[in-house]
Amino acid sequence: MNDVAPPFESFGVSHKGCVREHNEDNYLVEPQAGLWVVADGMGGHEAGEVASASIVEHLATIGIASSAPDLRARFEDRLSRANAEIRRISQSRGITIGSTVAALLAMDGRFACLWAGDSRVYLIRNGSISQISKDHTEVQELLDRGMISAAEALAWPRRNVITHAVGVSDEIVIDFQQGEIMPGDIFLLSTDGLTAHVTDAEIEAAAVSATAQEACENLLEMVLARGGTDNVTIVLVKAGAGRNGRQHPDLSRAEG
């Protein structure tokens, strides 16, 4: 697969941070399958870890797809199985547990980013970083309605309340963006433990100046040095042999 797509260099890291006792994040790096995932569990008492692990374990069985539509179908099938499993666990424990998910799928020179919750996907192209995903949070909805300002959002008391997640209902609400992969593109997937401490500009600077592994490790060190108030997971994917997000100056950004 991926015969006409550029080769990928990718790496992932995860850490419980400086405050939390447990790491409820999980991630998956499967370049041969064209799949990269981060998941941020919620539910407390280690239940969140169960939810995010279920997502990763099911997606790890995705195998090698025959086409881009097949890859998307396989992804949705595994995510649906994880959702059902998390629902069963929730019912057996009498609590609500769930997990965000942010995923990158790549095949035949195309990509698709899919997400539920506030874990994010960024694209660095032509020396510019853009957030492909859009947070499923109460504060984002208020921003979209013009009810609060961006400055108010930073200190909003319920800014971490998410509106969609895997495992919290029988139906999964997933958003997606898709587009063409260009040599030199850099994708970064992360849980909110990264963006709580590191700016978009700092993410871009770290990603373009080092290998995927070095960039992940440098960003993690930055988070921990700044207090690491949450679990943090980072997955970085570099496409082709381009110049670290600076190739093809005439190309458009990701399409919806």
Side-chain angles (χ1 to χ4, degrees), residues 155-169:
W156 198 254
R158 290 170 59 85
R159 64 187 179 278
N160 294 323
V161 176
I162 64 174
T163 54
H164 299 307
V166 179
V168 298
S169 62

Side-chain angles (χ1 to χ4, degrees), residues 34-246:
L35 174 65
W36 298 263
V37 180
V38 299
D40 182 355
M42 60 184 189
H45 305 293
E46 300 183 51
E49 181 180 354
V50 172
S52 63
S54 176
I55 291 172
V56 165
E57 288 166 5
H58 280 87
L59 288 174
T61 70
I62 201 166
I64 305 300
S66 60
S67 64
D70 181 38
L71 179 59
R72 173 75 179 268
R74 287 169 180 244
F75 175 86
E76 293 178 348
D77 171 70
R78 270 63 173 185
L79 196 63
S80 178
R81 296 184 194 181
N83 188 72
E85 181 177 74
I86 296 167
R87 297 287 288 159
R88 288 194 295 270
I89 295 170
S90 294
Q91 292 167 3
S92 68
R93 298 188 181 187
I95 58 174
T96 298
I97 65 174
S99 176
T100 71
V101 65
L104 169 66
L105 280 61
M107 190 172 188
D108 295 338
R110 304 280 298 176
F111 74 85
C113 296
L114 304 97
W115 71 93
D118 61 354
S119 292
R120 293 180 176 179
V121 184
Y122 289 90
L123 170 62
I124 301 168
R125 175 180 287 179
N126 302 332
S128 178
I129 186 170
S130 58
Q131 183 180 334
I132 299 180
S133 60
K134 187 174 186 178
D135 296 348
H136 292 147
T137 59
E138 284 189 6
V139 72
Q140 185 64 56
E141 291 185 357
L142 292 172
L143 279 169
D144 291 344
R145 296 172 187 168
M147 298 176 67
I148 62 173
S149 67
E152 290 174 320
L154 295 174
W156 198 254
R158 290 170 59 85
R159 64 187 179 278
N160 294 323
V161 176
I162 64 174
T163 54
H164 299 307
V166 179
V168 298
S169 62
D170 291 334
E171 297 296 325
I172 312 172
V173 177
I174 293 286
D175 275 347
F176 78 97
Q177 293 279 349
Q178 61 186 6
E180 186 178 358
I181 302 171
M182 298 301 168
D185 280 352
I186 301 174
F187 295 90
L188 182 136
L189 293 72
S190 76
T191 58
D192 62 342
L194 172 67
T195 51
H197 297 284
V198 181
T199 67
D200 289 2
E202 289 172 325
I203 291 172
E204 179 187 348
V208 302
S209 63
T211 66
Q213 178 175 348
E214 290 168 344
C216 286
E217 292 172 346
N218 291 340
L219 286 167
L220 176 58
E221 287 179 8
M222 197 179 300
V223 170
L224 298 179
R226 296 175 182 180
T229 55
D230 198 355
N231 305 151
V232 56
T233 298
I234 307 159
V235 170
L236 194 73
V237 183
K238 294 194 174 193
R243 296 185 295 274
N244 286 330
R246 299 183 183 278

